[in-house]
Amino acid sequence: MKVVIDGSCIKTKKFNGAQRYAMEILRELDKLVPTGKYELLIRHEYRSLICLHNIEIVEIKAPNKLAWGLKVFFYLFRNNAVYVHLTNGFTLWRKSIITLHDIYAFYGMYNNTWMYNAKAKFKAIIDSVIAMHIVTVSEFSKQTMLDKLPLKQERISVIPNGWQHLKDVEPDGNVLDKINVLPKSYYFFLGRLVNNKNIKWIFNVADKNPDNCFVIAGGIYNEKFGFYKGKNENIFYTGFVTDGEMKALYQNCKAFLFPSLMEGFGIPPMEALYNEAPIIISNSSSLPEIYEDSAHYIDPMRYDYCLDNLLQEPVAPPEKILSKYSWEKSAKQWYELIEGYTN
């Protein structure tokens, strides 16, 4: 049976976490699959963004999401194929294996309109009812889905993230000159303006630690976090950063901050650990499950922390955590799952 992978997530070089997951799983899966069985559907204009050898690339022209969905559906129907979506895709028909990284909408974690939240909830329910299998990235996310969705244990699997995408990236230290900060002089945060990232914790802690410097990077669309009007001028914004700039910021920070209220997995702290940066992260959701005793934990609702003192507390070395997770291991799990359905 043919396997058709939805490539609509491949549309930019500016990755969010779900796109990173899709790209890295695809690259590793390509090393495992036989030729002639797996296909990736992709828009013509984004064909150059990925190079595969065993997964055949099929270009589709579609002016919008609706046209894309219709064309993919009829392609699946004609080929009677198994449909795989590696990001938070929509189930187009029964023979689907869909990735749901999170269901934040059920927990009030989207700072979007009520219509957006309603659509996100509806989509998750449809996925859980129609798809033959759901994949998520942590035991925490799996449990939230079993609690909130009409889903049984045997129809959901945990296939986590990795961190090896930064191995071959050269750090670009020019980013420190751009924002005029010195190595090892700043605390680093990477994220977007969404409720679950809890960026207000950074702002409040920055105000309570005026002698410390804070660097905020991220924003798929170069968000500058301009809504914040704090008392201090110890926060520096980079906007979107390349992988090289991100790696340099990890390597030169005093510690990486990740005060999320809710995370399905949380790739950035693992990237930080790989780059030998201490991590100060929230004690909520999936983070203790993933990072165990290798992190300095904080209550994301408390702001009265002295970060320099917090860093003096002992934590376990990161090797145990880094050895548990890899894109190669996760791709093998994906391959076994897909082959189990197609054979």
Side-chain angles (χ1 to χ4, degrees):
M1 185 179 289
K2 182 177 289 188
V3 177
V4 172
I5 304 171
D6 193 304
S8 58
C9 58
I10 303 170
K11 55 188 176 181
T12 175
K13 292 181 179 180
K14 299 179 180 181
F15 296 151
N16 60 25
Q19 287 173 288
R20 174 74 72 187
Y21 182 89
M23 290 289 284
E24 299 303 327
I25 293 294
L26 267 174
R27 290 187 176 115
E28 292 298 326
L29 192 61
D30 184 54
K31 301 172 184 177
L32 302 173
V33 304
T35 57
K37 181 176 179 179
Y38 285 67
E39 294 180 349
L40 176 72
L41 305 187
I42 193 170
R43 294 176 186 267
H44 169 76
E45 57 268 35
Y46 303 126
R47 171 66 181 82
S48 62
L49 294 180
I50 190 164
C51 178
L52 301 172
H53 301 285
N54 295 319
I55 299 174
E56 182 182 351
I57 293 181
V58 178
E59 296 181 8
I60 288 184
K61 293 183 179 180
N64 52 52
K65 287 185 178 179
L66 177 60
W68 172 268
L70 289 172
K71 288 193 174 186
V72 171
F73 172 79
F74 286 115
Y75 190 87
L76 294 168
F77 181 79
R78 288 195 305 272
N79 290 278
N80 191 29
V82 169
Y83 176 61
V84 174
H85 207 303
L86 295 168
T87 55
N88 297 307
F90 194 81
T91 303
L92 292 175
W93 75 338
R94 175 62 180 163
K95 296 177 184 177
S96 296
I97 303 175
I98 299 295
T99 310
L100 282 179
H101 289 261
D102 57 69
I103 51 168
Y104 296 159
F106 285 88
Y107 294 86
M109 290 296 170
Y110 282 139
N111 53 333
N112 297 96
T113 64
W114 70 268
M115 178 63 74
Y116 183 95
N117 289 329
K119 285 166 61 178
K121 291 179 182 179
F122 176 74
K123 177 199 154 306
I125 292 170
I126 292 298
D127 288 341
S128 65
V129 170
I130 299 178
M132 60 185 181
H133 206 88
I134 299 292
V135 171
T136 192
V137 291
S138 67
E139 291 295 335
F140 170 81
S141 283
K142 175 182 175 179
Q143 191 57 53
T144 62
M145 292 172 195
L146 290 172
D147 290 345
K148 297 292 185 180
L149 301 175
L151 192 59
K152 294 184 177 180
Q153 286 269 2
E154 60 269 20
R155 289 182 48 237
I156 184 168
S157 298
V158 174
I159 304 181
N161 290 279
W163 52 268
Q164 290 77 8
H165 50 278
L166 286 185
K167 272 190 168 184
D168 297 325
V169 173
E170 286 295 321
D172 182 1
N174 291 326
V175 66
L176 275 69
D177 296 329
K178 289 179 185 177
I179 56 176
N180 196 28
V181 297
L182 296 173
K184 303 300 180 182
S185 70
Y186 61 91
Y187 289 95
F188 179 40
F189 170 83
L190 175 72
R192 291 193 64 202
L193 279 177
V194 287
N195 280 352
N196 70 293
K197 298 298 181 185
N198 194 25
I199 194 171
K200 69 179 181 180
W201 188 91
I202 305 291
F203 297 146
N204 280 282
V205 170
D207 283 343
K208 293 179 182 297
N209 291 263
D211 295 331
N212 279 316
C213 172
F214 296 80
V215 172
I216 293 177
I220 294 176
Y221 304 106
N222 273 344
E223 292 158 332
K224 296 294 186 181
F225 307 104
F227 72 91
Y228 173 65
K229 306 295 181 185
K231 298 186 292 295
N232 301 308
E233 297 182 355
N234 57 340
I235 300 177
F236 299 84
Y237 307 94
T238 69
F240 176 81
V241 289
T242 66
D243 282 355
E245 291 172 331
M246 179 175 67
K247 190 169 185 176
L249 288 166
Y250 281 135
Q251 291 179 346
N252 290 285
C253 68
K254 293 173 69 172
F256 178 72
L257 306 177
F258 206 64
S260 294
L261 297 171
M262 193 172 193
E263 285 289 335
F265 185 92
I267 299 177
M270 195 159 291
E271 295 173 333
L273 286 181
Y274 167 64
N275 285 289
E276 301 181 352
I279 57 174
I280 298 174
I281 65 176
S282 171
N283 61 6
S284 69
S285 63
S286 68
L287 297 176
E289 168 198 336
I290 304 299
Y291 294 99
E292 301 180 18
D293 54 356
S294 66
H296 301 274
Y297 288 100
I298 52 96
D299 179 345
M301 305 307 293
R302 277 185 53 200
Y303 310 125
D304 56 340
Y305 288 100
C306 174
L307 299 182
D308 291 346
N309 289 344
L310 190 61
L311 284 181
Q312 301 306 310
E313 298 176 0
V315 295
E319 286 74 21
K320 175 186 172 184
I321 305 302
L322 295 175
S323 65
K324 283 177 62 175
Y325 300 98
S326 78
W327 297 119
E328 180 183 5
K329 290 179 183 178
S330 293
K332 286 179 180 177
Q333 289 179 262
W334 264 104
Y335 182 58
E336 291 168 2
L337 175 65
I338 296 168
E339 290 295 299
Y341 278 102
T342 58
N343 293 330

